[in-house]
Amino acid sequence: MKQVFAYFLAVLMVFGAWALVSFSLARAKGRPILPYPWQAAAAAGENIWTLLSAFGVSALRFLLALVVAFFVGLPLGLAAGFEQKLEQFLSPLIYLLYPMPPVALLLFLYLAFGLGEVVRLVVVVMALFFQVVVAAQGAAKFIAPTHILAVRSTGASRWQLYWHVVVPATLPSVLTAARVSVGLGITMLYIAETKLGILLPPSQGLGRFIEYYTFRADIALAGVVALALLGLLFYVLLEVLERRLCRWKYVGVKGAGS
Amino acid sequence: MIEVQNVSIVYGSGQGAVPALEDISFSVGEGEMVAVVGPSGCGKTSLLLAIDGLLRPTSGRILIGGEEVRGVRRDVALILQDAGLLPWKTVRGNAELTLRIQKRRESVDGILSALGLNGFEGRFPAELSEGMRRRVGIARALALRPKVLLMDEPMANLDSLTRERIQNLILDLWWEMGFTGILVTHDIEEAVFLGQRIVVLSPRPARIRAILENPGMGEHAYRGSPEFLERAQGLRRILEANG
Ligand SMILES: Nc1ncnc2c1ncn2[C@@H]1O[C@H](COP(=O)(O)OP(=O)(O)OP(=O)(O)O)[C@@H](O)[C@H]1O
Ligand SMILES: [Mg+2]
């Protein structure tokens, strides 16, 4: 209940600050620059079905990208961190590719994949994928040797070793990394939906929605708020997932061993 | 049952090579319980890992039941130093680990209640006392009814009451289950209480300094008897001698 109240207060504060900024801007420039929250809310109400559809499409796109990034990035990152031979070979490759922003490759991605749904997914996946890989690799390198010994001494296969040790040991940091990269992912989603979404109607993604209504500041702003909410949704989702899957992290006395 | 033949273990190579064991030989008969004592860092854990097939000796060989150890054997269980519990598994999950990995269906309820852990099956290791964690480690090893039980300082860093309780427990379980045991410890009394024979190692690189017979071992009451104290004195003298 307290949590709900805190969120309510936060929303109130954000809207308050927003109204203040709108007011000051209008005062300073002598004409309206940033629509007021209630104007954006009214615009959202008028376009509610387009907006909801755009939100749904974006959410689905993001979810799909997240799932793909996990299913490809997690095994790769874990193997790259845990298998010493692979690590020597893959580490330089990962560190070389990791800082490269997929935005810089937009043109080539467009040439390679065309302007369809695939290219938009690829852009978002690329952003999230490297976050997952790097987090998984880093965590897999520092698994406590006794945990590995404990499972190896049972006669476990390689696969069982991953299942009983490598995955559970690294999951908390991988999920945290994914949560932290939601912001980056949403940015990439926006870029994918604008730069690579010019043929779409406004109902096919929040990025497109915002761009489509560039000249209706109140409607565009409603889209921006929806995009922020989308980010929040995934952030919370990943946190809930982490608390569920890694319950062991949250038990016992804080600061006590093991 | 277990034969350790001229085993040496060296970590690393060249300049930074660390010799841990040097030409260790001893044997353990079927159903026998042998204690291995040695100073801290002398190579006791390395020896157990080698017997469990987790670490290949640099030279020499180890036989169990006449077969050379080339990898982990399913009839050998190891209790790791500090129990080595997986923090993401509950008490039950940890106790069942070996059984599940070996695709065996037995229940761990019996062994958990024998070790006084019933009621705690759903707890995570972080929610337990240190003594309970050690018992979970013991449960995990015994759940598969191993022929050979290797124990790496299972009572280290416990308060003396808990330590004695777990020592008694191990003695009872040994009588009951009849495994062949190797108990590594740096505690003199513990070695005398639980070792039918006591292998004494030198500081690193470990060599065998003596192998003592300890025929009185086997009952709770042995602890504190004049014979017990005398053995402990003797063992202490050997450990403290230089060279
Ligand atoms: N993986 C390793 N790589 C390099 N050196 C190691 C490794 N494991 C152990 N050693 C070294 O080998 C020596 C023996 O280690 P080991 O753990 O077998 O000793 P121990 O008798 O079990 O010590 P303790 O009483 O502290 O448990 C130590 O000097 C240690 O530094
Ligand atoms: Mg040790």
Side-chain angles (χ1 to χ4, degrees):
Chain A
M1 209 49 226
K2 245 184 182 158
Q3 192 95 48
V4 175
F5 182 69
Y7 269 101
F8 183 72
L9 210 67
V11 169
L12 222 65
M13 271 163 67
V14 167
F15 280 96
W18 173 2
L20 205 68
V21 171
S22 299
F23 177 74
S24 325
L25 275 174
R27 255 313 179 66
K29 296 276 179 183
R31 62 191 163 86
I33 305 276
L34 188 72
Y36 285 99
W38 46 89
Q39 292 175 315
E46 278 161 36
N47 298 279
I48 190 68
W49 297 115
T50 325
L51 188 59
L52 279 181
S53 151
F55 187 91
V57 170
S58 285
L60 209 61
R61 224 171 247 147
F62 196 79
L63 182 67
L64 203 61
L66 199 62
V67 169
V68 172
F70 251 99
F71 272 78
V72 186
L74 193 65
L76 185 74
L78 292 182
F82 192 65
E83 310 289 336
Q84 260 152 35
K85 283 187 191 125
L86 266 182
E87 197 211 320
Q88 290 171 1
F89 169 73
L90 283 177
S91 275
L93 203 67
I94 290 171
Y95 291 132
L96 208 65
L97 292 177
Y98 170 57
M100 183 198 51
V103 203
L105 297 173
L106 234 45
L107 175 67
F108 304 101
L109 290 173
Y110 158 63
L111 291 175
F113 296 101
L115 261 192
E117 198 50 59
V118 175
V119 72
R120 287 188 281 273
L121 262 182
V122 167
V123 171
V124 185
V125 167
M126 272 176 80
L128 296 174
F129 169 80
F130 280 109
Q131 306 293 324
V132 172
V133 170
V134 169
Q137 187 198 19
K141 260 199 270 195
F142 297 106
I143 299 173
T146 66
H147 297 156
I148 299 168
L149 276 181
V151 175
R152 275 183 59 211
S153 83
T154 66
S157 66
R158 203 79 194 154
W159 164 243
Q160 287 173 320
L161 195 58
Y162 272 86
W163 180 249
H164 290 282
V165 180
V166 182
V167 172
T170 55
L171 204 57
S173 29
V174 172
L175 283 176
T176 302
R179 188 153 49 89
V180 171
S181 28
V182 162
L184 174 69
I186 294 286
T187 306
M188 293 315 298
L189 180 74
Y190 174 78
I191 290 171
E193 289 182 343
T194 50
K195 304 253 175 195
L196 300 168
I198 39 181
L199 301 177
L200 297 176
S203 62
Q204 294 299 300
L206 286 171
R208 185 61 193 139
F209 181 93
I210 294 165
E211 180 145 291
Y212 189 87
Y213 292 112
T214 306
F215 300 107
R216 280 290 309 274
D218 52 343
I219 307 182
L221 212 52
V224 173
V225 172
L227 200 60
L229 288 178
L230 182 70
L232 181 67
L233 174 74
F234 276 96
Y235 190 90
V236 170
L237 213 70
L238 283 165
E239 180 159 339
V240 168
L241 201 67
E242 187 180 330
R243 287 201 166 258
R244 265 294 166 88
L245 292 179
C246 312
R247 205 160 56 82
W248 60 275
K249 273 258 160 187
Y250 304 94
V251 299
V253 187
K254 278 252 160 64
S258 255
Chain B
M1 185 71 186
I2 304 173
E3 279 179 66
V4 178
Q5 299 176 343
N6 309 99
V7 166
S8 297
I9 291 176
V10 180
Y11 285 105
S13 57
Q15 281 283 310
V18 179
L21 297 181
E22 207 168 275
D23 197 25
I24 301 284
S25 300
F26 64 93
S27 61
V28 184
E30 177 138 20
E32 194 181 13
M33 179 93 99
V34 166
V36 176
V37 253
S40 210
C42 75
K44 303 180 296 295
T45 296
S46 308
L47 176 64
L48 279 196
L49 294 183
I51 297 173
D52 197 36
L54 290 165
L55 182 68
R56 186 178 287 271
T58 313
S59 65
R61 57 181 201 155
I62 295 164
L63 307 180
I64 293 181
E67 288 168 46
E68 184 166 357
V69 174
R70 289 228 155 85
V72 175
R73 292 173 57 108
R74 298 199 150 187
D75 52 356
V76 178
L78 170 67
I79 299 175
L80 284 163
Q81 203 160 352
D82 300 321
L85 300 184
L86 303 178
W88 44 86
K89 288 190 188 279
T90 58
V91 166
R92 176 181 295 281
N94 269 291
E96 284 179 343
L97 180 72
T98 315
L99 291 174
R100 289 288 118 24
I101 283 178
Q102 300 187 3
K103 306 235 153 54
R104 285 163 55 171
R105 305 219 151 269
E106 294 107 296
S107 156
V108 292
D109 290 340
I111 189 79
L112 283 180
S113 63
L115 291 176
L117 289 165
N118 39 356
F120 292 90
E121 291 90 343
R123 298 297 184 90
F124 289 101
E127 300 173 286
L128 304 178
S129 71
E130 190 57 39
M132 290 172 88
R133 274 179 230 158
R134 301 298 174 88
R135 279 182 276 150
V136 177
I138 295 170
R140 177 167 74 193
L142 291 178
L144 67 156
R145 308 216 146 235
K147 286 211 186 84
V148 175
L149 181 63
L150 308 172
M151 295 164 271
D152 195 357
E153 309 200 25
M155 277 71 82
N157 306 317
L158 292 177
D159 64 274
S160 48
L161 270 180
T162 312
R163 179 186 333 202
E164 284 190 12
R165 211 174 295 144
I166 297 186
Q167 284 168 353
N168 292 346
L169 190 75
I170 289 180
L171 189 63
D172 296 344
L173 290 165
W174 175 66
W175 278 118
E176 192 186 312
M177 301 175 80
F179 50 77
T180 304
I182 297 184
L183 172 88
V184 157
T185 175
H186 55 229
D187 185 288
I188 290 170
E189 266 105 48
E190 184 168 303
V192 177
F193 183 68
L194 285 173
Q196 278 176 309
R197 276 188 304 143
I198 303 166
V199 176
V200 188
L201 300 178
S202 70
R204 189 183 70 78
R207 263 163 287 132
I208 289 189
R209 195 171 257 184
I211 297 183
L212 308 180
E213 297 292 332
N214 182 30
M217 168 272 184
E219 279 169 55
H220 293 188
Y222 185 43
R223 192 188 342 254
S225 72
E227 194 194 345
F228 177 90
L229 297 175
E230 195 182 310
R231 293 263 168 228
Q233 278 296 328
L235 181 53
R236 182 181 298 276
R237 272 195 298 275
I238 298 174
L239 275 167
E240 281 172 352
N242 285 316

